[in-house]
Amino acid sequence: MVSRSYQVQVYSLAFLTYFGFYVSREPYSLVKMTLLKTWAPFDGGNGWLLLGILDTASLAAYALGIFVVGYLCEKFDCKHLLVFGCFAAGVTTILYGLANFWNIHNYWYFFIIRILNGFSESFGYPPLIKILDYYFCHEVARDFIMTAFGSCKFLGIVVGCVISSFAMTTFETWGTCFIVCGLVIILIGILDIFFMPNLPPDAQPLLNEKTPILSNKERGEQSRGGRDEGRQKRQSLSNTIDQEDVEETDKKETLLEALKLPGILEYAVHLFFVKLSVYVLYYWIPTWFESLTIQGLKITYVLSCWFTAVWGLGGCIGTLIIGAAAFAAEVYGLLSTAFSASASVFVLILYWYSDRSTTLIVIFLLIVLCVGITQNGPYSLASACMPAVINRIQSIHTGRNEKLVGMATGIIDGTGSVGAIFGPLSGAIILQYTTWGWSLVFLLVALSMFVAASILSRQ
């Protein structure tokens, strides 16, 4: 049995690694206004669209990479894939920033780098989830552990904003932000080389799918030692299952069978709209901040970084709140609906309040924090926790452990990734071709969260 101290080491490294991936992503959204003002080819009349296409290309490469890396995780050591991803993401981020110093204005350079960076970033999530599932699959608080892991994304946004703000203030060049953030993920990759464990070649994080659902007593026996009479009895039962029943079960474990899991389609479509709205703000809210003047103060690049950090801090808080509440009450649908509906209201309030003559920075940032809490909580719950929850519910009803967690994750996260791809591009098209501008962008975000809440009303 893995010791608790070893679990802490693995979880800390996994948290730090994915945190580093998000640190390296942050400059791409923070420097947009600077590029629109000072750097060709983005300072022309179609700069909004060009930047939106870059975001879409990166997210599409990431979505494709998730499927590829998920397959590679079953063939190669997860640690090696993870370290490669850290170095590749760091190098591509640095190359993007070096365009500032090499005076590169060729759009295809930025386009290719963003595609390579998106694909490199995809080497983070699948290996880390497999590692965590291997070391924490028997934990009673697994739902909270996996949901809380999602807070590293938003903590990475906070620290990425701070680093980018410091780099811009110190060196006064936008390329430095990318170089410093790229070095962060490379250094974390070096730490993983020395301290992240290698999974066994035959690592199986889940219980044998042929074994019936364990009782609480049996689960306790396994966690205390595993080599007792109860475990031997379960192994014996597994070995005596009729082969024809095994084959019939294997045939049912298909994509169609996964689609029949209770609630999976609702959560998949729910995450589509949640990630659409989250990624609109993730890629465009720093640029919106720089367009504001609050209390007579023009929001600069540095202030925009700090304001974005507040939104990311809200994501951390929201993830922990919804994870703890879900673990305590197990009312997943109610929590996601309440958070999503609240987010749609706070988003509209934020835009309305930003344009008032009586706007106060403190109240404005408090609303930004509330948007981050309510918008990002459902995102973390649906992507990190719900596939396992849905699979567990089905297992309780059928009396056996279904081997459908991977399929459920692919369906929910895959559908959500499509929403993430369309989000930034939708914002870019609105800003480029409509006269409504930011008002329509925020209406899109609010409407998406409202639809996401409505989809889970039955749950």
Side-chain angles (χ1 to χ4, degrees):
M1 190 67 181
V2 180
S3 67
R4 184 66 67 185
S5 61
Y6 200 61
Q7 284 183 317
V8 171
Q9 175 187 335
V10 171
Y11 192 83
S12 300
L13 274 174
F15 192 97
L16 178 65
T17 302
Y18 209 52
F19 153 86
F21 276 107
Y22 266 79
V23 169
S24 68
R25 295 179 189 181
E26 193 55 31
Y28 291 103
S29 59
L30 293 174
V31 303
K32 282 184 175 178
M33 185 61 80
T34 302
L35 295 176
L36 287 168
K37 291 179 178 178
T38 64
W39 202 259
F42 307 107
D43 59 352
N46 60 344
W48 299 99
L49 183 61
L50 292 177
L51 289 171
I53 291 174
L54 291 183
D55 294 336
T56 303
S58 178
L59 289 168
Y62 177 84
L64 175 63
I66 286 291
F67 290 101
V68 175
V69 178
Y71 172 78
L72 294 177
C73 283
E74 305 301 327
K75 303 296 182 181
F76 300 96
D77 191 290
C78 289
K79 175 180 176 179
H80 298 159
L81 295 173
L82 188 62
V83 171
F84 171 80
C86 291
F87 281 91
V91 169
T92 51
T93 301
I94 291 172
L95 286 174
Y96 197 94
L98 287 175
N100 187 193
F101 300 95
W102 293 343
N103 200 30
I104 296 176
H105 298 276
N106 190 318
Y107 184 73
W108 285 106
Y109 175 86
F110 297 100
F111 186 80
I112 293 172
I113 293 298
R114 285 306 304 272
I115 290 178
L116 293 176
N117 179 259
F119 188 76
S120 301
E121 294 275 352
S122 67
F123 280 77
Y125 195 69
L128 286 173
I129 291 300
K130 183 171 182 178
I131 291 171
L132 289 175
D133 204 28
Y134 178 77
Y135 286 103
F136 292 92
C137 64
H138 299 295
E139 295 295 323
V140 176
R142 182 185 182 278
D143 292 349
F144 174 71
I145 290 171
M146 297 303 291
T147 304
F149 175 74
S151 63
C152 67
K153 307 172 186 177
F154 307 107
L155 186 61
I157 292 174
V158 173
V159 175
C161 290
V162 174
I163 292 176
S164 298
S165 171
F166 174 78
M168 180 67 81
T169 304
T170 305
F171 301 100
E172 298 183 350
T173 52
W174 61 264
T176 310
C177 305
F178 290 90
I179 294 174
V180 175
C181 290
L183 289 174
V184 168
I185 187 61
I186 289 176
L187 291 175
I188 292 175
I190 294 174
L191 285 178
D192 286 337
I193 291 176
F194 294 102
F195 300 106
M196 182 66 76
N198 293 81
L199 284 183
D202 58 345
Q204 290 295 330
L206 301 176
L207 295 174
N208 192 306
E209 66 270 18
K210 305 178 187 66
T211 306
I213 296 295
L214 304 180
S215 66
N216 291 335
K217 180 179 179 181
E218 288 174 323
R219 192 172 296 169
E221 290 171 352
Q222 188 178 55
S223 63
R224 285 191 296 269
R227 293 184 179 179
D228 53 12
E229 183 179 353
R231 182 176 181 179
Q232 294 174 2
K233 182 179 179 180
R234 290 191 300 275
Q235 185 63 39
S236 176
L237 177 61
S238 175
N239 293 334
T240 58
I241 291 181
D242 186 80
Q243 184 63 30
E244 292 182 0
D245 292 339
V246 174
E247 293 177 356
E248 182 179 353
T249 300
D250 289 340
K251 291 179 182 178
K252 291 182 179 180
E253 292 168 346
T254 62
L255 178 61
L256 181 60
E257 198 67 21
L259 288 170
K260 294 179 181 179
L261 291 174
I264 190 169
L265 290 179
E266 285 144 308
Y267 274 100
V269 180
H270 167 77
L271 188 59
F272 173 93
F273 287 100
V274 169
K275 289 190 77 169
L276 189 152
S277 66
V278 167
Y279 273 73
V280 169
L281 290 190
Y282 177 61
Y283 279 98
W284 288 111
I285 199 172
T287 310
W288 177 66
F289 285 141
E290 288 190 65
S291 69
L292 299 178
T293 300
I294 302 178
Q295 287 185 252
L297 177 66
K298 175 63 179 175
I299 305 303
T300 62
Y301 171 85
V302 174
L303 285 176
S304 172
C305 291
W306 286 99
F307 284 13
T308 306
V310 173
W311 180 77
L313 178 62
C316 292
I317 297 172
T319 297
L320 295 176
I321 291 175
I322 201 169
F327 171 67
E330 295 188 355
V331 283
Y332 308 102
L334 178 62
L335 287 170
S336 296
T337 300
F339 271 66
S340 301
S342 300
S344 66
V345 175
F346 279 119
V347 164
L348 294 176
I349 293 175
L350 175 64
Y351 183 74
W352 172 82
Y353 189 70
S354 68
D355 199 32
R356 302 298 97 188
S357 58
T358 56
T359 302
L360 299 176
I361 289 183
V362 174
I363 304 238
F364 176 79
L365 291 179
L366 182 61
I367 300 173
V368 171
L369 183 70
C370 291
V371 171
I373 291 173
T374 55
Q375 188 184 36
N376 293 305
Y379 172 22
S380 297
L381 184 67
S383 62
C385 178
M386 289 315 300
V389 171
I390 291 172
N391 181 75
R392 187 171 66 242
I393 292 172
Q394 178 73 356
S395 298
I396 291 173
H397 284 297
T398 60
R400 67 176 186 271
N401 290 314
E402 301 285 356
K403 193 173 67 174
L404 298 172
V405 176
M407 294 181 187
T409 303
I411 292 170
I412 294 178
D413 274 353
T415 307
S417 295
V418 176
I421 292 172
F422 281 110
L425 182 60
S426 300
I429 292 174
I430 290 171
L431 294 170
Q432 183 73 61
Y433 295 111
T434 70
T435 57
W436 290 82
W438 291 111
S439 59
L440 193 57
V441 169
F442 275 82
L443 182 61
L444 171 66
V445 174
L447 183 61
S448 296
M449 293 305 299
F450 179 77
V451 173
S454 301
I455 289 169
L456 290 185
S457 58
R458 190 172 69 89
Q459 292 291 316

